[in-house]
């Protein structure tokens, strides 16, 4: 076993009534070539065929439970509590890893470094169309002043168990934007180290039932509270405008030409 293979990676999927896409998500994880992988599913007492799908793959899933919860972030915290990996990745129940060797490539790219967190790029897709989105390394100030979590995509964000213990998991008082709060807190901890790796980690599925599409206004409302909490509006206006414009212009430049394309046959 290579030294990097000794790193244990935990992937957590939370779900509720996710029968439409969950099997695809599970197969994209169970098909990974990386040997030291732990997979956990937390279900919020589904009433459709979700449990039947989980039980179909039960022998290959390291841990799962199904019980009522107060929302997806409480479910994520349950997954974090069960996780035993050195790094933890949250993958939505309708998303996919990009290829069977995604985790192997990610671990190889960080090599013998042990950053507190690392993250990669993302592919957004809907039906037969996809768009590759390149990201880049940002600081706490940059992520805050961008006003969005776009530059550190949650389905591509690996957090170390050590850092998560300091963070104490997700703030479940936020029901829709706690992932933005979680990542901001990770970047804000003095001395925390992190990096962007140039690898497409996950495929983020866009569809009519996608939680972002259905509760967009609630996400924006909570994001405003988070921005206020971390002092966004206390920053000089000129700094806010300069950071915002510079960051989004750079994001647009590195993604020039990355428009939606047809999926390969």
């Amino acid at each position: 076993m290579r030294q990097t293979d000794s790193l244990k990676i935990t992937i957590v999927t939370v779900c509720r009534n996710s029968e439409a896409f969950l099997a695809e998500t599970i197969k994209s994880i169970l098909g990974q070539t990386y040997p030291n992988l732990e997979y956990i599913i937390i279900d919020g007492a589904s009433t459709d065929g979700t449990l039947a799908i989980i039980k179909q793959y039960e022998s290959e899933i390291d841990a799962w439970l199904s019980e009522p919860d107060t929302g997806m972030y409480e479910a994520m915290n349950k997954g974090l509590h069960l996780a035993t990996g050195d790094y933890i990745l949250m993958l939505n129940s309708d998303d996919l890893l990009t290829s069977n060797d995604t985790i192997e490539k990610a671990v190889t790219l960080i090599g013998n470094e042990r950053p507190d967190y690392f993250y990669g790029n993302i592919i957004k897709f809907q039906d037969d169309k996809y768009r590759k989105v390149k990201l880049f390394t940002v600081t706490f100030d940059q992520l805050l002043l961008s006003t969005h979590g776009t530059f550190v995509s949650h389905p591509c964000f690996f957090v170390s168990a050590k850092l998560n213990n300091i963070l104490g998991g997700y703030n479940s008082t936020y029901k829709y934007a706690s992932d933005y709060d979680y990542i901001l807190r990770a970047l804000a901890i003095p001395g925390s180290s992190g990096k962007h790796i140039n690898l497409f980690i996950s495929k983020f599925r866009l569809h009519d039932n996608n939680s972002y599409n259905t509760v967009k206004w609630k996400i924006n409302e909570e994001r405003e509270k988070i921005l206020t909490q971390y002092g966004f509006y206390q920053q000089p206006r000129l700094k806010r405008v300069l950071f915002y414009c510079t960051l989004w212009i750079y994001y647009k430049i590195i993604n020039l030409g990355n428009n939606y394309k047809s999926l390969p046959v």
Side-chain angles (χ1 to χ4, degrees), residues 177-203:
S178 191
D179 48 346
Y180 185 39
D181 168 78
Y182 183 85
I183 293 171
L184 278 171
R185 287 191 286 124
L187 272 59
I189 291 177
S192 67
S193 62
K195 63 182 296 184
H196 167 260
I197 58 174
N198 190 23
L199 177 70
F200 288 94
I201 301 291
S202 64
K203 298 178 182 179

Short mmCIF file of all heavy atoms in Angstrom, two decimals, residues 177-203:
data_model
loop_
_atom_site.label_atom_id
_atom_site.label_comp_id
_atom_site.label_asym_id
_atom_site.label_seq_id
_atom_site.Cartn_x
_atom_site.Cartn_y
_atom_site.Cartn_z
N ALA A 177 -28.50 27.23 4.47
CA ALA A 177 -27.19 27.77 4.05
C ALA A 177 -26.09 27.45 5.05
O ALA A 177 -25.07 28.13 5.08
CB ALA A 177 -27.30 29.28 3.84
N SER A 178 -26.27 26.41 5.85
CA SER A 178 -25.27 26.08 6.86
C SER A 178 -23.96 25.60 6.24
O SER A 178 -22.91 25.68 6.88
CB SER A 178 -25.80 25.02 7.84
OG SER A 178 -24.96 24.90 8.95
N ASP A 179 -23.99 25.12 5.01
CA ASP A 179 -22.75 24.70 4.36
C ASP A 179 -21.85 25.92 4.11
O ASP A 179 -20.63 25.84 4.27
CB ASP A 179 -23.01 23.93 3.07
CG ASP A 179 -24.03 24.59 2.14
OD1 ASP A 179 -24.73 25.52 2.59
OD2 ASP A 179 -24.11 24.18 0.98
N TYR A 180 -22.45 27.06 3.74
CA TYR A 180 -21.66 28.29 3.56
C TYR A 180 -21.06 28.72 4.89
O TYR A 180 -19.89 29.06 4.98
CB TYR A 180 -22.57 29.38 2.99
CG TYR A 180 -21.88 30.69 2.65
CD1 TYR A 180 -20.60 30.71 2.07
CD2 TYR A 180 -22.51 31.90 2.87
CE1 TYR A 180 -19.98 31.90 1.75
CE2 TYR A 180 -21.90 33.11 2.54
CZ TYR A 180 -20.64 33.11 1.98
OH TYR A 180 -20.02 34.30 1.67
N ASP A 181 -21.85 28.67 5.95
CA ASP A 181 -21.36 29.00 7.29
C ASP A 181 -20.23 28.06 7.71
O ASP A 181 -19.21 28.50 8.24
CB ASP A 181 -22.52 28.90 8.29
CG ASP A 181 -22.07 28.94 9.74
OD1 ASP A 181 -21.77 30.04 10.23
OD2 ASP A 181 -22.01 27.87 10.37
N TYR A 182 -20.40 26.77 7.44
CA TYR A 182 -19.41 25.75 7.84
C TYR A 182 -18.07 26.01 7.15
O TYR A 182 -17.01 26.00 7.79
CB TYR A 182 -19.95 24.38 7.47
CG TYR A 182 -19.07 23.21 7.87
CD1 TYR A 182 -19.14 22.67 9.14
CD2 TYR A 182 -18.21 22.62 6.95
CE1 TYR A 182 -18.36 21.58 9.50
CE2 TYR A 182 -17.42 21.54 7.30
CZ TYR A 182 -17.51 21.01 8.57
OH TYR A 182 -16.73 19.94 8.94
N ILE A 183 -18.11 26.27 5.85
CA ILE A 183 -16.87 26.48 5.11
C ILE A 183 -16.21 27.80 5.51
O ILE A 183 -14.98 27.88 5.64
CB ILE A 183 -17.14 26.41 3.59
CG1 ILE A 183 -17.56 24.98 3.21
CG2 ILE A 183 -15.91 26.83 2.80
CD1 ILE A 183 -18.05 24.83 1.79
N LEU A 184 -17.01 28.83 5.73
CA LEU A 184 -16.45 30.09 6.22
C LEU A 184 -15.74 29.89 7.55
O LEU A 184 -14.62 30.41 7.76
CB LEU A 184 -17.55 31.14 6.37
CG LEU A 184 -17.98 31.90 5.11
CD1 LEU A 184 -19.22 32.73 5.39
CD2 LEU A 184 -16.85 32.78 4.58
N ARG A 185 -16.36 29.16 8.45
CA ARG A 185 -15.73 28.91 9.75
C ARG A 185 -14.44 28.12 9.59
O ARG A 185 -13.46 28.34 10.31
CB ARG A 185 -16.70 28.17 10.68
CG ARG A 185 -17.82 29.04 11.20
CD ARG A 185 -18.60 28.36 12.32
NE ARG A 185 -19.47 27.31 11.83
CZ ARG A 185 -19.45 26.05 12.26
NH1 ARG A 185 -18.57 25.68 13.19
NH2 ARG A 185 -20.28 25.16 11.77
N ALA A 186 -14.42 27.17 8.64
CA ALA A 186 -13.21 26.38 8.40
C ALA A 186 -12.06 27.28 7.94
O ALA A 186 -10.92 27.13 8.39
CB ALA A 186 -13.49 25.30 7.36
N LEU A 187 -12.37 28.22 7.05
CA LEU A 187 -11.35 29.11 6.52
C LEU A 187 -10.93 30.17 7.55
O LEU A 187 -9.83 30.72 7.46
CB LEU A 187 -11.83 29.80 5.25
CG LEU A 187 -11.60 29.05 3.92
CD1 LEU A 187 -12.27 27.68 3.91
CD2 LEU A 187 -12.06 29.89 2.74
N ALA A 188 -11.81 30.44 8.51
CA ALA A 188 -11.55 31.52 9.47
C ALA A 188 -10.67 31.10 10.64
O ALA A 188 -10.10 31.95 11.32
CB ALA A 188 -12.88 32.05 10.02
N ILE A 189 -10.55 29.82 10.90
CA ILE A 189 -9.79 29.36 12.06
C ILE A 189 -8.31 29.74 11.89
O ILE A 189 -7.69 29.38 10.88
CB ILE A 189 -9.95 27.84 12.26
CG1 ILE A 189 -11.37 27.52 12.70
CG2 ILE A 189 -8.94 27.31 13.27
CD1 ILE A 189 -11.66 26.05 12.86
N PRO A 190 -7.75 30.46 12.85
CA PRO A 190 -6.34 30.88 12.74
C PRO A 190 -5.42 29.67 12.55
O PRO A 190 -5.50 28.68 13.27
CB PRO A 190 -6.08 31.56 14.09
CG PRO A 190 -7.42 32.00 14.57
CD PRO A 190 -8.39 30.94 14.09
N GLY A 191 -4.57 29.76 11.53
CA GLY A 191 -3.60 28.71 11.29
C GLY A 191 -4.12 27.54 10.48
O GLY A 191 -3.35 26.63 10.14
N SER A 192 -5.42 27.53 10.14
CA SER A 192 -5.93 26.42 9.34
C SER A 192 -5.34 26.49 7.93
O SER A 192 -5.18 27.57 7.36
CB SER A 192 -7.45 26.44 9.27
OG SER A 192 -7.93 27.55 8.55
N SER A 193 -5.00 25.35 7.39
CA SER A 193 -4.38 25.28 6.07
C SER A 193 -5.32 24.59 5.10
O SER A 193 -5.98 23.60 5.43
CB SER A 193 -3.06 24.51 6.14
OG SER A 193 -3.28 23.17 6.56
N GLY A 194 -5.38 25.11 3.88
CA GLY A 194 -6.25 24.50 2.89
C GLY A 194 -5.73 24.78 1.50
O GLY A 194 -4.89 25.66 1.29
N LYS A 195 -6.23 24.02 0.53
CA LYS A 195 -5.77 24.20 -0.84
C LYS A 195 -6.83 23.75 -1.82
O LYS A 195 -7.68 22.89 -1.51
CB LYS A 195 -4.47 23.44 -1.09
CG LYS A 195 -4.59 21.93 -0.94
CD LYS A 195 -3.26 21.23 -1.16
CE LYS A 195 -2.72 21.39 -2.55
NZ LYS A 195 -1.47 20.61 -2.76
N HIS A 196 -6.77 24.32 -2.99
CA HIS A 196 -7.58 23.87 -4.12
C HIS A 196 -6.75 22.91 -4.95
O HIS A 196 -5.56 23.13 -5.16
CB HIS A 196 -8.00 25.07 -4.97
CG HIS A 196 -8.58 24.68 -6.30
ND1 HIS A 196 -7.83 24.72 -7.48
CD2 HIS A 196 -9.79 24.20 -6.64
CE1 HIS A 196 -8.60 24.32 -8.48
NE2 HIS A 196 -9.79 23.99 -8.00
N ILE A 197 -7.36 21.81 -5.36
CA ILE A 197 -6.68 20.88 -6.26
C ILE A 197 -7.38 20.92 -7.61
O ILE A 197 -8.61 21.03 -7.67
CB ILE A 197 -6.64 19.44 -5.69
CG1 ILE A 197 -8.05 18.90 -5.43
CG2 ILE A 197 -5.80 19.39 -4.43
CD1 ILE A 197 -8.07 17.44 -5.02
N ASN A 198 -6.61 20.85 -8.67
CA ASN A 198 -7.16 20.98 -10.02
C ASN A 198 -7.70 19.63 -10.50
O ASN A 198 -7.09 18.94 -11.32
CB ASN A 198 -6.11 21.51 -10.99
CG ASN A 198 -6.72 21.89 -12.33
OD1 ASN A 198 -7.92 22.15 -12.42
ND2 ASN A 198 -5.90 21.92 -13.36
N LEU A 199 -8.84 19.26 -9.93
CA LEU A 199 -9.47 17.98 -10.25
C LEU A 199 -10.97 18.16 -10.15
O LEU A 199 -11.47 18.76 -9.20
CB LEU A 199 -9.00 16.91 -9.25
CG LEU A 199 -9.63 15.52 -9.40
CD1 LEU A 199 -9.14 14.83 -10.68
CD2 LEU A 199 -9.30 14.65 -8.18
N PHE A 200 -11.69 17.63 -11.13
CA PHE A 200 -13.15 17.66 -11.06
C PHE A 200 -13.61 16.54 -10.15
O PHE A 200 -13.45 15.36 -10.47
CB PHE A 200 -13.75 17.55 -12.46
CG PHE A 200 -13.55 18.79 -13.29
CD1 PHE A 200 -12.47 18.90 -14.14
CD2 PHE A 200 -14.42 19.86 -13.16
CE1 PHE A 200 -12.25 20.06 -14.88
CE2 PHE A 200 -14.23 21.02 -13.89
CZ PHE A 200 -13.14 21.12 -14.75
N ILE A 201 -14.17 16.93 -9.01
CA ILE A 201 -14.53 15.97 -7.97
C ILE A 201 -15.92 15.39 -8.16
O ILE A 201 -16.11 14.18 -8.15
CB ILE A 201 -14.44 16.63 -6.57
CG1 ILE A 201 -13.02 17.16 -6.31
CG2 ILE A 201 -14.88 15.64 -5.49
CD1 ILE A 201 -11.99 16.09 -6.13
N SER A 202 -16.91 16.27 -8.29
CA SER A 202 -18.29 15.79 -8.29
C SER A 202 -19.11 16.40 -9.42
O SER A 202 -18.77 17.45 -9.96
CB SER A 202 -18.96 16.08 -6.94
OG SER A 202 -19.03 17.47 -6.73
N LYS A 203 -20.19 15.70 -9.73
CA LYS A 203 -21.17 16.18 -10.69
C LYS A 203 -22.41 16.61 -9.90
O LYS A 203 -23.03 15.79 -9.22
CB LYS A 203 -21.54 15.08 -11.68
CG LYS A 203 -20.39 14.58 -12.54
CD LYS A 203 -20.86 13.46 -13.46
CE LYS A 203 -19.72 12.90 -14.30
NZ LYS A 203 -20.19 11.79 -15.16
#
